[in-house]
Structure formats: C-alpha cells, structure tokens
C-alpha cells in the first residue's frame, strides 16, 4: 500500500495545503495538538532523519523557518514546538519524514516529555561512544 503522505502530496487525498514548492509540501495535521498544527514534509519519499538526503532535510527546515511566523500569526500563538518523531518507538506513526509545527498557547495543557537523571559515569560513557562513532 502506498504511503499516505505521498498520496497527500500527489493530491490523491485531500488536505488543507499550507505551502508547496518543488521540494516541500506543508499541510494541516488532521488531528491537531492545537489549531494551526502543520506538517512539513519532503516531496521525495524518505522514512525519517535516518535516510533522508541532507539537501532534502535542509529544504524541509528552510520551509519550516519560513512558515513558523506565518503559522504563529495565523492563530495568534505565543510559542511553537518544532519536532519530528523518528522510528516507531519514538511515536512515529506515518513512515514518511515530517516535521510537526505545533503552535502553543498559554495554558493549552500540552505536556513536555519527562526527564531522568544519569547514573555516575553514564553520561561520560555515552559521550565517549559518540565521539568514537563520529571519528568513523
Ligand atoms: P507522527 O505520529 O507520525 O509523528 O505524526 C503523524 C501525524 O500525521 C499525526 O499527527 C496525524 O494526525 C497526522 N495524519 C495522519 N494521517 C493523516 C491524514 O490523512 N491527513 C492529515 N492531514 N494528517 C494525517
Ligand atoms: Zn511517502
């Protein structure tokens, strides 16, 4: 079965289109966290941050930058969460790379992720591994 966002991009499925150019498509999330919640996606199918081309990713975030003040003004928001879920375990439901642009309002009830503490030496070990991997 074909990807639902590819179908939206091809306009085979109706959406509230916010913006479109050669590389990028942006439309309202059908189940918004808040009104104005917009999804920015690359036109060329990729699954998420792990497989998207650098150039495509840049285009997606360039569009996000352009749209941020527009979305804010359109719904009179006071702030905005810009984020993407990558992989099923992170909450990614649609396997076509997308950036959520979620307008935020004082007292809107939307909760942040929870926080944990590192055990002794844990942070240092993780950073050591990361640095080794960055050398490869
Ligand atoms: P994810 O959970 O994968 O990060 O986010 C996928 C988002 O796509 C969800 O917030 C969901 O509401 C939205 N979505 C899923 N199917 C459709 C659809 O057919 N049309 C639109 N406009 N949004 C969709
Ligand atoms: Zn797709």
């Amino acid at each position: 079965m074909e990807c639902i966002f590819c179908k939206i991009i091809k306009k085979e499925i109706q959406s509230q289109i916010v913006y479109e150019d050669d590389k990028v498509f942006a439309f309202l999330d059908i189940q918004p966290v808040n009104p104005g919640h917009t999804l920015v996606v690359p036109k060329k199918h990729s699954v998420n941050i792990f497989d998207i081309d650098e150039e495509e990713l840049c285009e997606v975030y360039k569009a996000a930058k352009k749209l941020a003040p527009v979305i804010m003004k359109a719904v009179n928001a006071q702030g905005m969460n810009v984020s993407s879920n990558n992989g099923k375990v992170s909450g990614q439901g649609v396997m076509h790379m997308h950036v959520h642009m979620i307008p935020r309002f004082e007292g809107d009830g939307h909760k942040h992720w929870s926080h944990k503490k590192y055990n002794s030496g844990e942070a240092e070990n993780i950073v050591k591994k990361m640095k080794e991997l960055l050398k490869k």
Side-chain angles (χ1 to χ4, degrees), residues 41-58:
V41 310
K43 280 192 169 172
K44 183 178 159 198
H45 180 92
S46 60
V47 176
N48 53 34
I49 189 87
F50 304 117
D51 70 328
I52 191 169
D53 295 342
E54 255 180 41
E55 299 81 51
E56 300 282 329
L57 186 64
C58 286

Side-chain angles (χ1 to χ4, degrees), residues 22 33 50-51 57 79 83 95 103 121:
D22 288 356
V33 170
F50 304 117
D51 70 328
L57 186 64
S83 68
M95 293 299 153

Side-chain angles (χ1 to χ4, degrees), residues 29 31-35 37 81 100 102-105 108-111:
D29 194 298
Q31 286 189 302
V33 170
N34 278 323
H37 180 167
N81 290 108
H100 290 269
I102 303 173
R104 296 298 306 277
F105 306 89
D108 64 14
H110 184 56
K111 294 221 167 50

Side-chain angles (χ1 to χ4, degrees), residues 3-6 9 45-46 95-96:
C3 163
I4 191 152
F5 284 1
C6 284
I9 292 160
H45 180 92
S46 60
M95 293 299 153
H96 181 126

